[in-house]
Amino acid sequence: MLDFRFSDTSGGRNIDATATLLIQPRLWIPSGDYPAHTEWRDKALDEIKDGRKRAMVAFWGSDAIGSIVYQRHTTEKDKVEIRNISIEPYARGRHVADFLLRQVELEAAQDFPGVVSIVTVVKRTNVGILAFALQNGYQVEAVTVLVGNFASNGVEDVVLAKNLLPSEKHLDLEVV
């Protein structure tokens, strides 16, 4: 029997599990795509601890098997950014990433009030994660080379976006 559960990092929970997952190979991402991943990871863990970033974590029994790190967009406050998806190799193919992604989409508006969409950036050459994002309803917003605080390998980046559904408390449905 499979025993999956999902949790977040609010209140300082699951930060160690997230740290362990971020050390592992990332989902469909060749190590050369993000040469400064180690520096980003260390900074991200500090930001998770102080609440600027969040992580949704999946467990199989008591083992952490996947996480998605996300945050309010740094310049566009009505957006959430997915910053990292990590899934343990032995748990792949069980749709853990799909379910984690859906949980992030649902929790993002509660975690960051006022957000209406979610974005992520993927290297153009990473067809696996591009296919994953497209299968999960994301659409291409731009293709460009992004230069940020961490090293770039010069490969074009694909910016993908998806509108978030309004929470149930904001829906005004008439029942007939």
Side-chain angles (χ1 to χ4, degrees):
M1 178 169 87
L2 299 178
D3 177 21
F4 292 122
R5 67 184 172 87
F6 298 81
S7 187
D8 62 18
T9 53
S10 62
R13 297 178 305 200
N14 304 314
I15 291 175
D16 290 341
T18 303
T20 300
L21 288 163
L22 290 177
I23 293 169
Q24 305 301 320
R26 288 154 293 140
L27 183 60
W28 301 305
I29 299 176
S31 60
D33 277 1
Y34 299 95
H37 175 72
T38 303
E39 292 84 359
W40 174 85
R41 180 194 66 218
D42 294 343
K43 181 180 177 190
L45 290 171
D46 289 339
E47 291 175 333
I48 290 170
K49 288 175 187 173
D50 72 21
R52 285 181 284 160
K53 283 184 177 27
R54 303 280 167 81
M56 186 66 64
V57 185
F59 292 88
W60 187 346
S62 61
D63 296 332
I65 59 167
S67 72
I68 294 181
V69 176
Y70 60 106
Q71 68 185 33
R72 184 183 294 270
H73 196 284
T74 54
T75 59
E76 299 177 59
K77 300 304 179 185
D78 64 339
K79 294 182 179 181
V80 169
E81 296 179 275
I82 295 173
R83 303 299 298 163
N84 182 282
I85 301 175
S86 298
I87 305 294
E88 285 286 358
Y90 69 87
R92 292 182 186 163
R94 296 182 179 274
H95 298 282
V96 172
D98 298 286
F99 195 81
L100 276 170
L101 184 60
R102 183 67 182 134
Q103 296 314 301
V104 168
E105 292 168 358
L106 291 169
E107 296 295 323
Q110 291 179 350
D111 292 340
F112 305 106
V115 300
V116 296
S117 64
I118 190 164
V119 298
T120 192
V121 177
V122 177
K123 293 296 181 188
R124 181 186 50 78
T125 54
N126 194 334
V127 294
I129 196 74
L130 282 169
F132 169 77
L134 293 171
Q135 288 170 348
N136 279 280
Y138 287 72
Q139 297 181 354
V140 175
E141 213 173 63
V143 178
T144 186
V145 175
L146 298 174
V147 179
N149 296 335
F150 298 97
S152 170
N153 68 354
V155 173
E156 286 180 317
D157 298 288
V158 179
V159 179
L160 297 141
K162 181 178 182 179
N163 289 331
L164 295 173
L165 295 175
S167 67
E168 289 181 22
K169 65 182 175 187
H170 296 295
L171 292 177
D172 189 20
L173 300 176
E174 181 179 334
V175 179
V176 284

